[in-house]
Amino acid sequence: MVPHLVTALNGPINELEARILESMPAIERWFRLEWMEHTPPFYSSVDVRNAGFKLAPVDTNLYPGGWNNLTPEMLPLAVQAAMAAIEKICPEAKNLLLIPEKHTRNPFYLLNVARLQEIFTLAGLNVRLGTLDPAIDKPTPVALPDGSELLMEPLVRTQRRLGLKGFDPCTILLNNDLSAGIPGMLEDLHEQYLLPPLHAGWAVRRKTNHFQSYEEVAKKFAKLLGMDPWLINPMYTQCGKVNFGEGDGIECIKSNAEALIAKIRRKYKEYGINEKPFVIVKADNGTYGMGIMTVRDPKELDELNRRTRNKMSVVKDGQEVSEVIIQEGVPTYERMNDAVAEPVVYMMDRYVVGGFYRVHADRGIDENLNAPGAQFVPLAFAESHHLPRVGAKPGQSAPNRFYMYGVIARLAMLAASYELEATDPDAEVYD
């Protein structure tokens, strides 16, 4: 099932699609050369927005938690990608320890953990689940909505290694984004591979670093295709000292939002786009769709009500928001049964393995869709008939659109690899 795109068929996106398809060999070679120089994140997911005049990533998750939303058809590709990823890191790997989020009551998240366990089991590993939840002090079965269950076990830490009772893993895979901080139990593990690395967690990571890296990637890619990088890159700025509860830093957000909206307006004029520009203000280290608001007019920031202030004050695990990224708003004109939709692309290692549409009937084209009430409609990017159809008219072929989404998502994944290299605390610094 493919949403329809509520935009004119002669818009800039169709020109971009045509250019991407005709440049496909050059694009794939460019990616190959980049991956010779850079290490992809172990796994990732990217939220993409298609405005018809612009196609851009708006968020990149390095601890994707929606593997259950992908179709069974994508499983073989995910397993192959998992094998490739593990072979590069620890070819002799036998045991994999998977550490999920602590909030194990969310049934959909638990189905995601079960799917990850299945993928890595099929990739030839013994997979067991260790929890950071101190309340679990013995192996504890957790029921799943489909009638099956997961076995959560308490972690066992020795001086240099982390495992479970009677289980010593070569590789530890985090599906916990460390929003609440880095547990001491995960530090100083010099004999095991911890994936993703600790500095990929939200205790350290910042969205502004990511989009700075993405801007660099977008410029390189745009040069390859001879196009304006703005067509695939959301502009942004940031405010570093904010307290929504006290009202501190609101003036910084307001002035930056005004300046960014003016820049967007100039771009719209350049391309003849008859739209009202807006920005998205979000926590610089936020996740789960928390700490996000749409600003259509900076004057709105003078009138923030208590509910909005409270919503913006804290993100996951009760972490206070003190830094925000102000990002160019990219409207989405994808529709599914008249509800607003956006594609989310899932990747393992450097491969696109699947994706789904996030659909929200109660949200507008300029709002965050990652909110309660969202539905997920899977699509399998990996099916053979979803390979791009060369020669199809732009805007007419779902496989071509999926290929284009995969290209944009891989650009964001490459940006994440630049970002992790730049922020690696163990990297050697050369003058």
Side-chain angles (χ1 to χ4, degrees):
M1 189 176 185
V2 185
H4 57 281
L5 189 63
V6 193
T7 50
L9 287 177
N10 59 356
I13 280 302
N14 291 328
E15 293 166 31
L16 179 62
E17 182 182 305
R19 190 168 295 188
I20 282 177
L21 287 168
E22 71 191 21
S23 308
M24 196 171 106
I27 289 169
E28 295 305 325
R29 178 177 181 274
W30 182 81
F31 273 121
R32 278 198 305 276
L33 294 174
E34 285 288 334
W35 293 129
M36 286 170 71
E37 300 289 328
H38 304 281
T39 303
F42 188 78
Y43 55 7
S44 55
S45 69
V46 176
D47 297 354
V48 179
R49 303 276 286 211
N50 189 348
F53 57 83
K54 177 170 187 147
L55 179 71
V58 293
D59 215 358
T60 301
N61 188 352
L62 299 182
Y63 300 85
W67 292 91
N68 53 305
N69 295 319
L70 304 177
T71 61
E73 288 83 1
M74 60 68 65
L75 205 56
L77 197 63
V79 170
Q80 281 182 315
M83 285 176 172
I86 290 289
E87 268 170 34
K88 278 198 302 195
I89 292 153
C90 185
E92 71 281 5
K94 194 169 59 170
N95 296 334
L96 177 81
L97 175 62
L98 176 57
I99 301 180
E101 294 281 358
K102 283 200 287 190
H103 60 77
T104 51
R105 298 291 171 265
N106 182 333
F108 300 108
Y109 176 73
L110 290 170
L111 287 170
N112 152 77
V113 174
R115 174 57 65 86
L116 273 174
Q117 189 169 26
E118 180 185 13
I119 288 169
F120 286 101
T121 300
L122 291 171
L125 294 163
N126 302 316
V127 186
R128 282 165 66 175
L129 307 176
T131 178
L132 290 161
D133 188 345
I136 294 181
D137 57 6
K138 62 179 186 293
T140 304
V142 180
L144 296 177
D146 62 4
S148 61
E149 62 181 28
L150 294 172
L151 187 66
M152 297 287 179
E153 301 183 64
L155 293 166
V156 175
R157 175 67 201 250
T158 60
Q159 189 176 353
R160 300 184 67 82
R161 297 181 75 83
L162 181 66
L164 306 172
K165 188 177 179 184
F167 185 77
D168 185 34
C170 152
T171 306
I172 299 160
L173 178 61
L174 289 177
N175 197 241
N176 178 319
D177 62 27
L178 307 179
S179 288
I182 297 171
M185 197 174 266
L186 298 179
E187 294 182 316
D188 302 317
L189 292 171
H190 300 302
E191 295 179 357
Q192 291 164 298
Y193 295 96
L194 182 67
L195 304 165
L198 292 177
H199 68 284
W202 285 122
V204 179
R205 189 177 177 226
R206 294 294 178 267
K207 292 181 182 181
T208 40
N209 288 335
H210 175 73
F211 282 101
Q212 184 180 354
S213 294
Y214 183 79
E215 193 171 348
E216 187 184 339
V217 168
K219 281 177 181 169
K220 284 187 183 180
F221 184 77
K223 189 176 178 185
L224 176 77
L225 265 64
M227 59 178 261
D228 180 354
W230 177 76
L231 294 170
I232 55 169
N233 181 33
M235 297 186 287
Y236 75 94
T237 180
Q238 74 180 131
C239 286
K241 290 184 180 174
V242 177
N243 184 321
F244 283 95
E246 303 290 329
D248 296 339
I250 304 298
E251 201 53 48
C252 173
I253 298 173
K254 187 180 171 185
S255 60
N256 276 285
E258 278 174 351
L260 190 52
I261 284 173
K263 282 172 78 174
I264 301 165
R265 196 175 284 118
R266 284 196 293 275
K267 274 293 183 186
Y268 281 12
K269 192 175 179 185
E270 179 187 334
Y271 282 92
I273 296 161
N274 191 20
E275 295 275 343
K276 187 171 166 49
F278 66 98
V279 294
I280 302 292
V281 178
K282 48 188 172 183
D284 208 4
N285 62 336
T287 184
Y288 273 50
M290 299 172 77
I292 298 179
M293 67 176 171
T294 300
V295 176
R296 300 169 187 89
D297 182 342
K299 292 193 185 79
E300 297 165 16
L301 293 162
D302 293 329
E303 308 288 321
L304 286 185
N305 60 33
R306 184 174 292 279
R307 184 163 172 255
T308 303
R309 285 177 190 252
N310 289 343
K311 185 186 87 165
M312 292 299 295
S313 291
V314 293
V315 288
K316 191 176 153 222
D317 292 332
Q319 297 302 299
E320 283 193 17
V321 174
S322 60
E323 301 165 73
V324 296
I325 179 171
I326 302 148
Q327 191 178 60
E328 174 187 352
V330 182
T332 176
Y333 283 101
E334 308 249 20
R335 290 283 189 287
M336 188 168 276
N337 300 331
D338 293 329
V340 175
E342 67 185 7
V344 183
V345 181
Y346 267 58
M347 291 162 291
M348 181 89 71
D349 194 60
R350 61 194 178 97
Y351 305 101
V352 173
V353 296
F356 52 84
Y357 278 94
R358 184 184 283 124
V359 184
H360 207 305
D362 300 324
R363 290 286 168 118
I365 60 168
D366 60 357
E367 293 182 295
N368 166 44
L369 304 187
N370 188 7
Q375 293 180 300
F376 304 97
V377 180
L379 46 87
F381 284 73
E383 290 175 24
S384 58
H385 63 273
H386 281 155
L387 291 171
R389 290 184 190 151
V390 180
K393 285 183 181 175
Q396 306 265 314
S397 163
N400 288 355
R401 201 190 303 171
F402 294 161
Y403 176 72
M404 193 165 64
Y405 292 158
V407 168
I408 297 300
R410 283 186 288 162
L411 291 175
M413 171 172 58
L414 179 58
S417 106
Y418 280 35
E419 170 201 358
L420 290 177
E421 286 167 18
T423 56
D424 184 353
D426 299 322
E428 292 182 30
V429 179
Y430 300 98
D431 289 330

